[in-house]
């Protein structure tokens, strides 16, 4: 167990809807990164939050947005869901931004868009 | 732009074999390279992390090496067991982005 928890574990949404995924970081970690993993692919970086500020973003449209709270937990919001958004969404926490030695991942949220 | 490639995409071996998984990256300007294990539908479990200044790391039956100059890393699994069956992912932490760039993984099946 890494101490990183994600909720919910599974989710089914309809195209056009909005979804919020949640991540609680490991105790003492102030950085959370979000990744999208399509079936059969490696995880793709969405964005990172460090001390409640966005600290880098991957090649994802603005309808993917996030938030980090004072306790360093984080949310990923996706608006206007598309079928291609179906994927495993992974959250990773670490201590500090930049070249932090090790990221610890949660178990992921499986999102299915129908 | 950093690109990470893993070969082979899939591997099926009998129990007890020693095996090597390969990872290559295009930009040698990395802080570290990390190997993960992923069980079907699950999150990532960190196996080994090699800093850019290191050549290898070992944990139990696992040994990972890093050759920055050639842009390659290998994960060696000794005496494979059915419980090793999973997808193995490598990821490079690049200077340019400060973010992990993942390969597409090697899906390993070890049969009794």
């Amino acid at each position: 167990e890494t101490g990183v928890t994600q909720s919910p574990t599974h989710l089914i949404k309809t195209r056009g809807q909005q979804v919020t995924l949640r991540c609680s970081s490991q105790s003492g970690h102030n950085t959370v990164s979000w990744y999208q993993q399509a079936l059969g692919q490696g995880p793709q970086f969405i964005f990172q939050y460090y001390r409640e500020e966005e600290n880098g973003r991957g090649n994802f449209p603005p309808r993917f947005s996030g938030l980090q709270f004072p306790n360093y937990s984080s949310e990923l919001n996706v608006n206007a869901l598309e079928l291609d958004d179906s994927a495993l969404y992974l959250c990773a926490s670490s201590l500090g931004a930049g070249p932090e030695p090790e990221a610890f991942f949660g178990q992921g949220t499986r999102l299915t868009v129908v | 732009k950093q690109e990470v490639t893993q070969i082979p995409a899939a591997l099926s071996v009998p129990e007890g074999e020693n095996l090597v998984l390969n990872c290559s990256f295009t930009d040698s300007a990395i802080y570290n390279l990390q190997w993960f294990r992923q069980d079907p539908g699950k999150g990532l479990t960190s196996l080994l992390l090699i800093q850019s200044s290191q050549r290898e790391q070992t944990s139990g039956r696992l040994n990972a090496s890093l050759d920055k100059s050639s842009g390659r890393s290998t994960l060696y699994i000794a005496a494979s067991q059915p419980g090793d069956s999973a997808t193995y992912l490598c990821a490079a932490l690049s200077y340019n982005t400060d973010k992990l760039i993942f390969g597409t993984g090697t899906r390993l099946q070890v049969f009794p």
Side-chain angles (χ1 to χ4, degrees):
Chain A
E1 293 295 326
T2 64
V4 181
T5 58
Q6 293 186 242
S7 62
T9 55
H10 295 84
L11 199 54
I12 299 175
K13 288 287 191 178
T14 303
R15 189 172 49 185
Q17 285 188 313
Q18 178 267 342
V19 68
T20 298
L21 310 182
R22 295 178 174 83
C23 172
S24 293
S25 58
Q26 184 168 318
S27 178
H29 284 183
N30 55 14
T31 303
V32 172
S33 303
W34 286 92
Y35 293 81
Q36 180 196 66
Q37 186 179 24
L39 199 61
Q41 301 296 314
Q44 299 292 316
F45 174 73
I46 303 174
F47 45 58
Q48 182 185 80
Y49 279 84
Y50 170 62
R51 293 186 174 180
E52 303 179 57
E53 297 289 330
E54 186 177 291
N55 180 49
R57 187 180 182 92
N59 189 27
F60 281 81
R63 58 190 186 83
F64 285 77
S65 64
L67 195 60
Q68 187 177 33
F69 299 99
N71 66 356
Y72 302 130
S73 66
S74 177
E75 287 182 354
L76 164 65
N77 299 290
V78 187
N79 294 322
L81 284 167
E82 301 176 0
L83 297 179
D84 285 348
D85 295 334
S86 295
L88 181 68
Y89 287 84
L90 295 164
C91 158
S93 81
S94 57
L95 179 59
E100 174 53 31
E102 195 164 9
F104 296 89
F105 283 80
Q107 290 301 295
T109 293
R110 171 71 64 186
L111 172 64
T112 302
V113 182
V114 298
Chain B
K1 177 187 173 187
Q2 177 73 275
E3 293 183 3
V4 180
T5 305
Q6 291 187 246
I7 295 173
L11 189 60
S12 183
V13 300
E15 182 177 7
E17 273 203 9
N18 302 323
L19 49 96
V20 175
L21 307 183
N22 296 293
C23 171
S24 62
F25 46 95
T26 55
D27 184 355
S28 62
I30 63 170
Y31 291 113
N32 61 55
L33 188 130
Q34 200 165 351
W35 283 92
F36 294 89
R37 170 184 171 139
Q38 186 174 34
D39 293 293
K42 303 296 185 182
L44 306 181
T45 300
S46 179
L47 297 173
L48 290 165
L49 182 147
I50 314 174
Q51 299 289 1
S52 63
S53 58
Q54 297 175 320
R55 296 284 292 182
E56 64 179 320
Q57 282 286 338
T58 298
S59 176
R61 294 182 294 108
L62 305 180
N63 174 277
S65 67
L66 175 64
D67 184 345
K68 274 181 53 178
S69 61
S70 65
R72 296 197 304 184
S73 176
T74 60
L75 178 67
Y76 176 82
I77 303 177
S80 58
Q81 303 171 357
D84 294 331
S85 299
T87 296
Y88 291 81
L89 293 154
C90 69
L93 184 58
S94 294
Y95 285 166
N96 293 334
T97 64
D98 285 351
K99 307 301 178 283
L100 284 172
I101 307 297
F102 283 86
T104 53
T106 293
R107 190 172 66 254
L108 172 66
Q109 182 181 11
V110 181
F111 54 91

